[in-house]
Amino acid sequence: MAELPVLITREEVMRLLRYTDLIPKLESALALFSKRSGAELVQPLRTIVPLQKHNGFLGLMPAYIAHEDILAAKMVSFYQRDPDSVLPAHQATVLLFDPERGNVKAVMDGTAITEMRTAAVSAISTKLLKPCRQEVLCILGSGLQAVSHYQVFTQMFSFTQVRVWSRRRERAEQFARAVAGPVTMCSSVKEAVEGADVIVTVTMAKEPVLQGEWVKPGAHVAAVGACRPDWRELDDVLMRDAVVYVDSREGASTESGDIILSGASVFAEIGEVINGTKPALCEKTTVFKSLGMGIQDAVAAKLVFEQWKSQL
Ligand SMILES: NC(=O)C1=CN([C@@H]2O[C@H](COP(=O)(O)OP(=O)(O)OC[C@H]3O[C@@H](n4cnc5c(N)ncnc54)[C@H](O)[C@@H]3O)[C@@H](O)[C@H]2O)C=CC1
Ligand SMILES: O=C(O)C1=NCCCC1
């Protein structure tokens, strides 16, 4: 009989997972994914179950990486909530399997994993596509992804100013209290974005919030929200003028409203840049359209489990 799975809470995940361990593992996984090496890495397109009655979705995200022998599956629910709702927008659980025996070794909070691995991948895109002149960082949105993006971006880069914009001033103030460091609150997207070198979009918007005409030429945009084919965060001008990078071409052409509805073409996957098979066009305005991948959760879950075991 297999042992019962261990349960790892959100607090434990946040204590055990470190960006310094996570980032190199994510880079390797993204690179391997873009090689499309068959049975070596298996990640089916995310299955989405719409919950129309509740204005939400359930995403199922399994992944297997053979050489590291990691088998994991994340289940994530996400909802378009009323702005006054106290319920969370996202909740996630990751199951980590023993790939040989097929049993579940660990059941862990996937919400913290989602926050950290998504922010880490945005930071990787910034390191590759905006390697210099990182002075002003602008974050649009003030939720959980905004916080994790602030944490990893201020850890990895030396921005002289971090600006935040949120639909509601009190949410931006809450964000400023939640992060350890200075934040400039802006009262409009235009004010937040003008002159920024790196822009992170982490909203639940369904219509564009970021207009290309406000974006400084040569800036890098890490676009994290708008993960449904009919949702937008970025306008057509930005999608037309920027060089577009993605995490997965299949994911982007199935799930990204910004890509599908603007008709923008994808220049490269970020894994292709890591592999050196596509260039990083750093002088151009770049958009990294992130949708999230099961392999990102899988490598994070393995790190969490290994850290957890090492403490026994
Ligand atoms: N690419 C990826 O791998 C992942 C993407 N996401 C996406 O990132 C986004 C942020 O997620 P969380 O921070 O966890 O959510 P959250 O609910 O904690 O924060 C959402 C933020 O968006 C703002 N917002 C909501 N509707 C808006 C609108 N119409 N216009 C402008 N702002 C609006 C809220 O005020 C809040 O600041 C979501 O779209 C989510 O689905 C989340 C996880 C992974
Ligand atoms: O990758 C993820 O996890 C998610 N991506 C899109 C929105 C929900 C969570």
Side-chain angles (χ1 to χ4, degrees):
M1 267 288 274
E3 279 181 25
L4 285 174
V6 298
L7 278 176
I8 305 181
T9 64
R10 174 178 171 87
E11 289 66 32
E12 285 174 297
V13 170
M14 290 174 85
R15 185 170 52 82
L16 297 171
L17 193 57
R18 287 184 294 255
Y19 284 117
T20 43
D21 299 327
L22 182 57
I23 286 172
K25 293 287 182 192
L26 287 170
E27 286 174 336
S28 305
L30 291 164
L32 183 63
F33 174 78
S34 291
K35 289 185 179 153
R36 298 293 189 281
S37 36
E40 188 52 41
L41 184 154
V42 185
Q43 181 193 262
L45 202 57
R46 172 160 54 209
T47 298
I48 291 285
V49 180
L51 311 169
Q52 217 166 359
K53 182 174 161 189
H54 301 290
N55 220 4
F57 301 88
L58 179 69
L60 307 176
M61 305 173 66
Y64 177 56
I65 304 175
H67 79 278
E68 293 212 49
D69 220 22
I70 314 178
L71 177 63
K74 183 170 82 177
M75 278 149 288
V76 55
S77 60
F78 57 105
Y79 296 81
Q80 283 268 324
R81 304 270 191 216
D82 178 273
D84 293 320
S85 172
V86 290
L87 296 172
H90 298 80
Q91 288 170 81
T93 304
V94 179
L95 303 182
L96 184 69
F97 292 83
D98 176 333
E100 189 187 352
R101 295 162 188 264
N103 59 296
V104 176
K105 293 190 291 189
V107 177
M108 60 185 83
D109 171 77
T111 313
I113 286 181
T114 305
E115 288 155 27
M116 290 184 71
R117 63 72 152 151
T118 308
V121 173
S122 295
I124 292 168
S125 81
T126 304
K127 183 175 76 171
L128 295 169
L129 299 172
K130 191 76 188 165
C132 44
R133 287 201 313 278
Q134 301 143 343
E135 287 183 9
V136 177
L137 170 66
C138 162
I139 302 178
L140 302 179
S142 60
L144 292 171
Q145 286 289 340
V147 171
S148 58
H149 278 73
Y150 182 96
Q151 285 163 345
V152 71
F153 275 71
T154 52
Q155 199 172 307
M156 270 179 72
F157 308 106
S158 311
F159 289 100
T160 52
Q161 189 186 30
V162 183
R163 302 177 189 161
V164 69
W165 167 85
S166 193
R167 284 182 306 178
R168 293 180 166 193
R169 175 94 187 170
E170 66 266 26
R171 293 291 163 89
E173 286 166 0
Q174 222 170 41
F175 168 86
R177 282 193 298 273
V179 297
V183 177
T184 305
M185 278 178 270
C186 297
S187 45
S188 72
V189 176
K190 186 166 181 279
E191 180 195 332
V193 159
E194 267 176 352
D197 302 292
V198 178
I199 301 164
V200 172
T201 61
V202 275
T203 74
M204 264 285 182
K206 291 170 94 172
E207 306 295 332
V209 289
L210 179 59
Q211 296 189 21
E213 63 170 310
W214 301 331
V215 175
K216 180 166 95 170
H220 175 60
V221 179
V224 172
C227 296
R228 296 295 303 144
D230 54 348
W231 293 2
R232 302 289 300 263
E233 271 192 320
L234 317 180
D235 77 349
D236 281 350
V237 173
L238 179 56
M239 292 307 291
R240 186 194 60 213
D241 291 351
V243 182
V244 178
Y245 295 80
V246 295
D247 43 13
S248 147
R249 287 178 191 273
E250 294 87 344
S253 62
T254 312
E255 293 190 338
S256 168
D258 286 325
I259 289 174
I260 298 164
L261 301 175
S262 68
S265 56
V266 170
F267 177 71
E269 287 181 349
I270 209 69
E272 294 177 292
V273 178
I274 298 170
N275 288 330
T277 52
K278 287 280 180 157
L281 300 178
C282 306
E283 298 307 315
K284 307 256 188 192
T285 304
T286 47
V287 165
F288 168 59
K289 179 59 224 154
S290 158
L291 288 151
M293 299 159 92
I295 53 166
Q296 299 166 0
D297 302 307
V299 297
K302 186 180 181 195
L303 284 172
V304 169
F305 188 61
E306 279 174 350
Q307 282 294 324
W308 182 87
K309 272 195 311 188
S310 74
Q311 297 193 338
L312 290 179

